[in-house]
Amino acid sequence: MVPRWRSSLVRRSTGQRLSRRPEGGRDLDALRGALVDGAASAGGGVASGLRTARRAAASVGDGRREATIMAAAYGVYLVVRGLWGGTLEEGRANAAALIERERDLGIWVEPAWQRAFAENNLGLPAWSAFYVLSQVIVLPLALFLVYRHRRASYAFLRNMALLSWAGGLAWYALQPVAPPRLIASGLEDTVSTQTPVALDSDLVRLVYNPVAAMPSLHVGMAPVVAWALWRLTPWWWSRALGLVYPVLVSVAVVVTGNHYVLDIAGGVAVVLPAAVVAAWLARAPGGAPTVPGGSPPSDGSGPLPRAAPP
């Protein structure tokens, strides 16, 4: 028979242990609940931030805001290019490998094309000028026309341009490639010799990456100009120009010695995914659609007036 005093101690000790377990269980439940709530809060914060960013990407501000966005994007380009642009030696080594790939594919035609245009008087100086103008004049003008006359589509095209530039920058940093004119390829730098723009001058190199041949964003961004010409101009010849514009740019970048044939495919490979993401961003929750062909905005801006029939 257990003495009464020992039985009392056993009951007291057991009661204490039993009472501690629920308290410990409650602490674990509280910790689990706090972790779940924290994760849910963090996830909700991320989701909310993404929704806010997507709405901002789908929005279109006034001219000052949009000009600031594009200027800031170009400033980032200059910084990234300066820090991770690659050296000319790296660019030439990668260019040699690219040429070998084109020879294997049977598409190393760049020297033959340039000789054919020069020997047959096919307007090589005009192609050289077009190479410069297509990027520094025509593309900004096309974006301005879309902003002014088809505002509902501007966010899509702006975002596609920004994403394409970002993709191109990443490619340039990871794989700098010198253009044919900067290696022993037999191609001449026709832009520097036939236009007032010297591509290798210190001034031009402040805003121009000499080892950014692959991919060709000249070609990648050509569909932006083509779309603007087709949708926003009233003349048959300008709309026809929109249809052939990407082909003209592709020819210009090759015959001037600034890009390889594979650079054209690289430009398309960058811009197509950018277009898909830009279309998704343009359909932000609660926002108006801003994809190509969207309705003109309520501010009254619309397509350029069509010419009267003869």
Side-chain angles (χ1 to χ4, degrees), residues 43 113 256:
W113 280 24
T256 58

Side-chain angles (χ1 to χ4, degrees), residues 51-299:
R51 285 194 297 270
T52 301
R54 191 177 171 193
R55 282 194 294 268
S59 67
V60 177
D62 58 19
R64 182 177 301 177
R65 177 211 185 219
E66 297 305 323
T68 300
I69 289 174
M70 303 309 286
Y74 195 70
V76 171
Y77 164 80
L78 293 178
V79 171
V80 173
R81 188 201 70 180
L83 294 176
W84 298 285
T87 65
L88 184 57
E89 289 73 20
E90 292 174 320
R92 283 173 172 163
N94 290 328
L98 183 62
I99 290 174
E100 285 302 314
R101 177 65 59 83
E102 287 199 347
R103 283 181 171 140
D104 292 341
L105 295 173
I107 57 173
W108 171 239
V109 298
E110 291 84 341
W113 280 24
Q114 190 180 81
R115 283 196 305 272
F117 273 69
E119 294 171 359
N120 294 285
N121 297 319
L122 296 179
L124 196 51
W127 289 102
S128 300
F130 178 65
Y131 173 83
V132 177
L133 295 176
S134 64
Q135 193 74 356
V136 300
I137 299 295
V138 179
L139 177 61
L141 180 60
L143 289 171
F144 172 77
L145 286 174
V146 174
Y147 176 82
R148 178 65 183 87
H149 297 288
R150 190 58 64 91
R151 193 77 53 88
S153 299
Y154 177 77
F156 168 80
L157 293 177
R158 178 201 62 207
N159 295 339
M160 184 176 73
L162 294 177
L163 291 169
S164 299
W165 289 338
L169 269 179
W171 199 326
Y172 301 152
L174 294 172
Q175 187 189 35
V177 177
R181 63 181 179 81
L182 288 181
I183 62 175
S185 61
L187 281 95
E188 179 188 355
D189 179 6
T190 62
V191 171
S192 297
T193 59
Q194 298 177 352
T195 75
V197 179
L199 293 179
D200 292 323
S201 67
D202 293 337
L203 178 60
V204 171
R205 285 201 177 194
L206 290 175
V207 294
Y208 175 75
N209 188 348
V211 288
M214 168 67 85
S216 171
L217 292 186
H218 269 78
V219 176
M221 295 307 300
V224 174
V225 179
W227 183 90
L229 289 172
W230 177 259
R231 294 286 300 183
L232 301 179
T233 58
W235 308 285
W236 68 266
W237 58 266
S238 60
R239 291 164 66 85
L241 179 60
L243 293 178
V244 300
Y245 183 80
V247 177
L248 297 177
V249 174
S250 298
V251 172
V253 301
V254 171
V255 300
T256 58
N258 282 283
H259 288 280
Y260 306 89
V261 173
L262 282 179
D263 296 344
I264 298 172
V268 175
V270 167
V271 172
L272 283 181
V276 172
V277 176
W280 175 77
L281 289 173
R283 296 184 178 90
T290 55
V291 295
S295 300
S298 58
D299 62 2

